[in-house]
Amino acid sequence: MIELQNIDFSYYGQDGSGLHDVNLTIHDGECILLCGCSGCGKTTITRLINGLIPRFYPGEVKGTVLINGKNVNDFPMYELAEHIGSVFQNPRTQFFNVDSNSEIAFGLENEARPPKELQERVDTTIKDLEIQNLCNRSLHELSGGEKQKIAFASVYAMNPDIYLLDEPSSNLDMDAIKDLQEHLRLIKKQGKTILIAEHRLYYLMDIVDRIIFLEQGEIKGIYTPKEFQKIPDKKRKAMRLRAADLSAIHSENSQSTQANPVLELKNVSMFYKKRAILENINLSAGFGEVIGIVGHNGAGKTTLARALCGLHKNTKGNFFWDGQPQDRKQRLKCSYMVMQDVNYELFANSVKTECYFGIRNPDETLIESTMEKLGLTPYKDKHPNTLSGGQKQRVAVAVSMICKKELLVFDEPTSGLDYDSMAQVAGLVKELASMGKIIFIVTHDYEFVCRTCTRVLHVDHGEQCEDILVSPTKENKMKKLFSIQ
């Protein structure tokens, strides 16, 4: 049993953040969903339970956290790690090895398991989770979704009593989310206690026992899945929560034809070392188009995005801009990419400074208005690394607008975003499109695609599969592509 009794917590140097008067009891074998907007306290609760607060995230704590009747602060960290397994929002932050099998075995090695038992447990994990295709792979070669699977496997191998998962679906494609559903059902059947902090809610409705809604660090509601699904759409959006049923989402695109081509790719292939990632890509895009790039984890979506921006060097084929050949350096000059792991592109010591970092003659009015549109003004003097994952995403999106490039590429821009933040990013993408930008978005987010995209480019198995115009008449085809019943 997990008990949070009269918890008040605030991070040092972050006024207003944390938790206020939180009381929550989680029984053994329960599956609990923590939901609410970015920064509402979901991750903070998981950090209190696994002991990262206050050991690694200092702050002022009042109240008590009990694990099976014992104060969590009385457990040495190694003992907590035996009972509690954590899967972080960014799996890269919990890796200690360079290959997948060693990473799965890492926790077991630290428990000094005998070699035979260790190998048996790794083999069982790979079989149970059906990740044979990820065996003996370099972690550096894996996609974000594949890394997430390895992070989950490394926890599963240790067989903890309690699982804490922070945004586990944020980097996963639709099929991988179905795999995650099965993994959650598996550990729930094993009697494990599960806490999931999540923005994407639809895939959990038939798994969780209770849904805890948090707002500004306080518990504002506790629901059963049936009660939660009865919340009116208008109220759910006001709560800044994502859809609980994707089948009810419809396309908002009214564009019926493609724009005149400005950017063209002809017979473009991309390689990693000598291995072909994608071959013979042919596409065109015009000003004002918003093109979603979709496909399975590891299909080459990010590689294509990087090639469009000139960031991926190993390519063959021809790129054209306004009919003129375009080399890699020219692509770098006219494009901007918001990376999937946003931490790679945050350099400044405040949000406002980040918004004009590296930009000559920045437009102060544009900076202020962009921060206001994305809800970043209250954080303008804060260090970007003190923000939540969703807030960091918004900072990177703000920079993309301020830098005034013609081609903008977003890699999973809604990863870790609540409904309100997703809607704000969607609004910004539409505004950028109305300004005549060409926009590509690597995404698994059907709700976001329906709000923003004019076309969807489907890549899989090393090739270009489909190029679909997003419209109400293509809705069934879109739902089939995203595996929505």
Side-chain angles (χ1 to χ4, degrees):
M1 181 185 290
I2 303 168
E3 296 174 87
L4 283 74
Q5 300 176 346
N6 304 315
I7 293 293
D8 281 280
F9 174 77
S10 58
Y11 293 96
Y12 289 142
Q14 298 185 46
D15 295 337
S17 64
L19 299 170
H20 314 287
D21 193 28
V22 169
N23 288 276
L24 180 64
T25 299
I26 301 164
H27 299 283
D28 293 343
E30 267 199 298
C31 183
I32 301 295
L33 168 61
L34 303 173
C35 66
C37 67
S38 296
C40 71
K42 302 185 300 295
T43 299
T44 300
I45 287 178
T46 65
R47 289 172 179 170
L48 282 164
I49 294 170
N50 62 20
L52 292 180
I53 291 174
R55 291 175 172 97
F56 294 93
Y57 295 93
E60 185 178 351
V61 185
K62 295 179 182 178
T64 308
V65 180
L66 301 175
I67 306 293
N68 295 328
K70 183 177 177 179
N71 193 312
V72 71
N73 294 325
D74 293 337
F75 285 90
M77 282 302 288
Y78 73 86
E79 192 174 336
L80 271 178
E82 292 176 359
H83 297 286
I84 302 174
S86 300
V87 181
F88 302 144
Q89 182 175 350
N90 180 1
R92 186 178 62 86
T93 62
Q94 67 187 94
F95 288 158
F96 292 89
N97 294 273
V98 294
D99 70 278
S100 55
N101 285 45
S102 297
E103 186 60 39
I104 294 171
F106 181 76
L108 300 170
E109 290 173 334
N110 279 272
E111 292 181 345
R113 300 283 184 96
K116 183 180 179 181
E117 181 187 335
L118 186 151
Q119 188 59 55
E120 287 175 351
R121 187 60 195 166
V122 170
D123 292 343
T124 298
T125 296
I126 291 168
K127 181 181 178 181
D128 286 354
L129 303 183
E130 299 181 343
I131 53 171
Q132 289 85 351
N133 63 315
L134 300 180
C135 287
N136 300 305
R137 296 271 301 275
S138 166
L139 294 177
H140 301 297
E141 295 179 13
L142 300 184
S143 70
E146 290 169 333
K147 288 176 183 175
Q148 192 73 285
K149 290 182 179 181
I150 295 299
F152 184 89
S154 68
V155 171
Y156 183 86
M158 294 182 70
N159 196 28
D161 301 316
I162 300 168
Y163 283 76
L164 305 177
L165 295 91
D166 193 359
E167 301 287 350
S169 75
S170 61
N171 297 315
L172 301 183
D173 62 46
M174 289 297 193
D175 286 344
I177 288 175
K178 287 186 177 181
D179 291 340
L180 175 61
Q181 285 177 308
E182 294 308 311
H183 298 162
L184 293 172
R185 289 191 180 100
L186 173 64
I187 60 176
K188 186 176 181 181
K189 189 176 180 181
Q190 293 170 355
K192 307 300 184 182
T193 304
I194 310 166
L195 274 79
I196 308 170
E198 183 64 285
H199 286 307
R200 294 181 184 175
L201 310 178
Y202 68 91
Y203 75 96
L204 295 168
M205 290 299 104
D206 63 346
I207 297 175
V208 298
D209 300 304
R210 287 188 293 159
I211 299 165
I212 313 297
F213 171 60
L214 291 143
E215 188 174 53
Q216 296 182 339
E218 299 180 15
I219 294 176
K220 294 293 188 179
I222 300 178
Y223 307 87
T224 65
K226 285 185 179 179
E227 291 170 342
F228 187 83
Q229 288 176 298
K230 290 180 180 178
I231 295 174
D233 192 54
K234 186 175 181 180
K235 182 180 178 181
R236 175 185 58 78
K237 290 178 179 179
M239 294 164 71
R240 301 167 72 179
L241 297 176
R242 292 292 206 103
D245 180 8
L246 288 189
S247 64
I249 303 298
H250 304 288
S251 168
E252 297 182 11
N253 178 43
S254 58
Q255 205 169 304
S256 58
T257 58
Q258 291 181 213
N260 293 327
V262 176
L263 169 69
E264 294 180 89
L265 277 65
K266 294 185 178 179
N267 299 317
V268 171
S269 298
M270 287 139 272
F271 304 85
Y272 179 77
K273 296 180 180 178
K274 293 183 179 181
R275 180 171 64 91
I277 305 298
L278 287 172
E279 296 186 279
N280 300 319
I281 301 296
N282 291 277
L283 67 88
S284 61
F287 291 129
E289 285 199 278
V290 181
I291 302 171
I293 304 175
V294 305
H296 288 101
N297 293 128
K301 303 182 298 296
T302 297
T303 302
L304 173 56
R306 288 172 57 82
L308 288 167
C309 294
L311 293 170
H312 187 81
K313 296 180 181 179
N314 197 356
T315 64
K316 291 182 180 178
N318 299 301
F319 294 80
F320 297 91
W321 188 271
D322 262 345
Q324 300 299 311
Q326 193 181 41
D327 61 25
R328 192 174 72 86
K329 289 185 178 179
Q330 289 171 318
R331 298 201 299 278
L332 281 168
K333 286 182 179 179
C334 77
S335 63
Y336 183 92
M337 182 174 184
V338 178
M339 298 180 184
Q340 182 174 355
D341 186 348
V342 71
N343 292 296
Y344 281 126
E345 53 188 313
L346 299 177
F347 305 104
N349 58 8
S350 73
V351 169
K352 184 173 182 179
T353 306
E354 190 68 52
C355 287
Y356 60 78
F357 189 84
I359 300 175
R360 292 182 181 178
N361 303 315
D363 186 331
E364 185 72 25
T365 302
L366 178 59
I367 291 169
E368 294 291 342
S369 64
T370 303
M371 287 195 299
E372 184 66 31
K373 284 174 186 172
L374 290 176
L376 293 171
T377 302
Y379 312 105
K380 66 179 181 179
D381 297 321
K382 291 185 178 294
H383 197 290
N385 284 337
T386 66
L387 303 180
S388 70
Q391 290 164 342
K392 288 178 183 178
Q393 281 278 13
R394 279 185 272 163
V395 174
V397 170
V399 176
S400 73
M401 182 174 180
I402 293 162
C403 68
K404 298 182 180 179
K405 298 294 181 72
E406 296 298 317
L407 173 64
L408 302 178
V409 179
F410 298 85
D411 194 356
E412 294 287 357
T414 61
S415 173
L417 295 192
D418 58 38
Y419 173 82
D420 200 38
S421 300
M422 181 275 291
Q424 288 176 342
V425 174
L428 176 58
V429 167
K430 288 180 179 179
E431 183 170 342
L432 291 167
S434 70
M435 293 164 58
K437 309 295 183 184
I438 299 174
I439 302 169
F440 286 86
I441 302 173
V442 175
T443 186
H444 302 297
D445 191 339
Y446 180 75
E447 194 173 2
F448 184 66
V449 166
C450 287
R451 273 181 165 265
T452 59
C453 292
T454 57
R455 287 163 55 197
V456 168
L457 180 70
H458 179 207
V459 296
D460 234 333
H461 308 295
E463 61 184 14
Q464 179 178 338
C465 301
E466 297 174 282
D467 191 342
I468 306 170
L469 191 69
V470 178
S471 68
T473 60
K474 302 288 185 180
E475 192 166 280
N476 290 336
K477 195 170 187 179
M478 285 283 295
K479 285 190 165 134
K480 184 178 179 181
L481 180 59
F482 280 86
S483 303
I484 296 170
Q485 301 300 322

